[in-house]
């Protein structure tokens, strides 16, 4: 039985950084939404702009997760998980633009939870834990 080769840092560190930055953007989205619904209507524009930045970070995270699989020979599931979060966040953006708040809020909480779990995994991965 062979021991898997370690994941190169040139793949792992960008994935960690992008996942962390994306999670920070998702957290900012929640804070901005909360401040908007309390009456500060100017923050809706910030919420919209931050959504664009956060979504862009997620696409970069997906690219880093694909690089984790190929060429770094890491697990496939982080790329699939990132793709799933892309799908959920794309739906989240559409629901927000369509003002379907009854679905936008709970889906936002799901995106936050999934992003938090994924980010925590990136910081544990490569430290002797199983993939």
């Amino acid at each position: 039985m062979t021991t898997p080769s370690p994941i190169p840092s040139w793949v792992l560190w960008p994935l960690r950084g992008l996942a962390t930055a994306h999670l920070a953007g998702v957290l900012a989205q929640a804070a901005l939404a909360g401040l908007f619904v309390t009456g500060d209507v100017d923050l809706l524009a910030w919420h919209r702009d931050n959504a664009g930045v956060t979504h862009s970070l997620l696409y970069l995270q997906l690219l880093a997760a694909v690089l984790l699989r190929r060429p770094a020979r890491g697990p496939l599931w982080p790329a699939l998980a990132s793709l799933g979060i892309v799908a959920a966040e794309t739906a989240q953006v559409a629901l927000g633009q369509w003002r379907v708040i009854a679905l936008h809020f709970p889906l936002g909480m799901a995106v936050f939870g999934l992003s938090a779990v994924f980010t925590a995994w990136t910081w544990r991965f490569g430290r002797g834990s199983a993939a």
Side-chain angles (χ1 to χ4, degrees):
M1 187 168 174
T2 61
T3 305
S5 59
I7 301 299
S9 62
W10 68 266
V11 172
L12 192 53
W13 281 103
L15 180 60
R16 287 174 175 163
L18 289 164
T20 302
H22 174 258
L23 180 59
V26 172
L27 178 60
Q29 282 299 89
L32 290 168
L35 292 169
F36 166 71
V37 298
T38 61
D40 193 342
V41 294
D42 293 336
L43 292 180
L44 183 59
W46 287 34
H47 183 72
R48 180 198 63 228
D49 295 344
N50 187 61
V53 171
T54 301
H55 203 56
S56 297
L57 287 167
L58 180 55
Y59 277 101
L60 292 173
Q61 173 187 307
L62 173 60
L63 175 61
V66 167
L67 290 174
L68 176 69
R69 176 66 178 165
R70 294 277 187 240
R73 300 178 194 251
L76 175 62
W77 78 263
L80 297 176
S82 293
L83 186 60
I85 299 171
V86 165
E89 199 168 282
T90 300
Q92 174 72 356
V93 169
L95 290 169
Q97 289 174 343
W98 299 333
R99 305 290 193 262
V100 183
I101 303 305
L103 296 176
H104 184 73
F105 281 6
L107 185 54
M109 291 186 295
V111 166
F112 180 80
L114 292 169
S115 298
V117 168
F118 185 87
T119 301
W121 173 83
T122 67
W123 287 98
R124 290 183 48 97
F125 182 68
R127 295 184 181 209
S129 63

